Amino acid sequence: MPDRAASTPSDALRLLVEGNARFAADKRRMGRVDPDRRTELEGSQSPFATVLGCSDSRVPFEHVFDAGIGDLFAIRNAGQIVDDIVLGSIEFAVVALGTPLVVVLRHTRCGAVAAARSGEPVAAPHLQFLVDAITPSVEKVRTIDAELPQEAIGAAHLEATLRQVIERSGAVSDAVAEGRLAVVGATYDLATGEVTIDTVVGQV
């Protein structure tokens, strides 16, 4: 099994922050993607971070964090919605793979957030499910600002998503309480390429 790049929440977060700084500055080193690395990973994996984020094609996790294959356990869907399948995937990473960090990553100008903000029904029923999952964050922002700034809704949805991950998964909350795991909420700016850490739950 290859050595884990980071075994503590603080080391994992540091690697992600440093990798994103290189990406944003266009000074990427790129994590390993070579044939020898593929061979190392044939029998097992040991990612140092789990990232739950949007499926948006403009937010490729390994590029954003200047990581290689085997470094990140990636979970993606439109609007980074939490359901039982997503929680099961996170728990697999935490329990079976021992990742010390979970990052919930939103991005600016999210189409799913914009659809929820509009309040208009969408034609596809499964897409409506995504929109409905974000609607509580729209209503939360509405009580503060009737103009409904899109990024405020996105930030509220990020916090709601992060809270669901911790509150609905005993495996996650136990690992945080024991100091084995931290859960981080972060925002990726499509224009600058920079990731901002918004919330940290756990010891880093």
Side-chain angles (χ1 to χ4, degrees), residues 78-92:
Q80 80 270 353
I81 306 300
V82 173
D83 60 13
D84 289 342
I85 301 300
V86 167
L87 288 174
S89 299
I90 293 173
E91 289 180 351
F92 176 77

Side-chain angles (χ1 to χ4, degrees), residues 10-83:
S10 58
D11 285 345
L13 183 58
R14 175 182 53 80
L15 286 180
L16 291 184
V17 169
E18 291 176 352
N20 176 249
R22 292 192 300 272
F23 170 77
D26 199 24
K27 296 180 179 178
R28 290 170 291 168
R29 290 199 306 242
M30 268 309 291
R32 289 182 58 194
V33 295
D34 55 274
D36 287 344
R37 179 59 171 159
R38 294 200 300 271
T39 299
E40 287 176 6
L41 293 169
E42 262 189 298
S44 63
Q45 59 173 316
S46 189
F48 69 85
T50 298
V51 183
L52 165 62
C54 188
S55 298
D56 195 298
S57 63
R58 299 167 292 179
V59 194
F61 300 160
E62 283 80 5
H63 289 279
V64 166
F65 293 111
D66 196 27
I69 57 174
D71 289 338
L72 304 179
F73 191 82
I75 306 167
R76 302 179 67 171
N77 62 54
Q80 80 270 353
I81 306 300
V82 173
D83 60 13

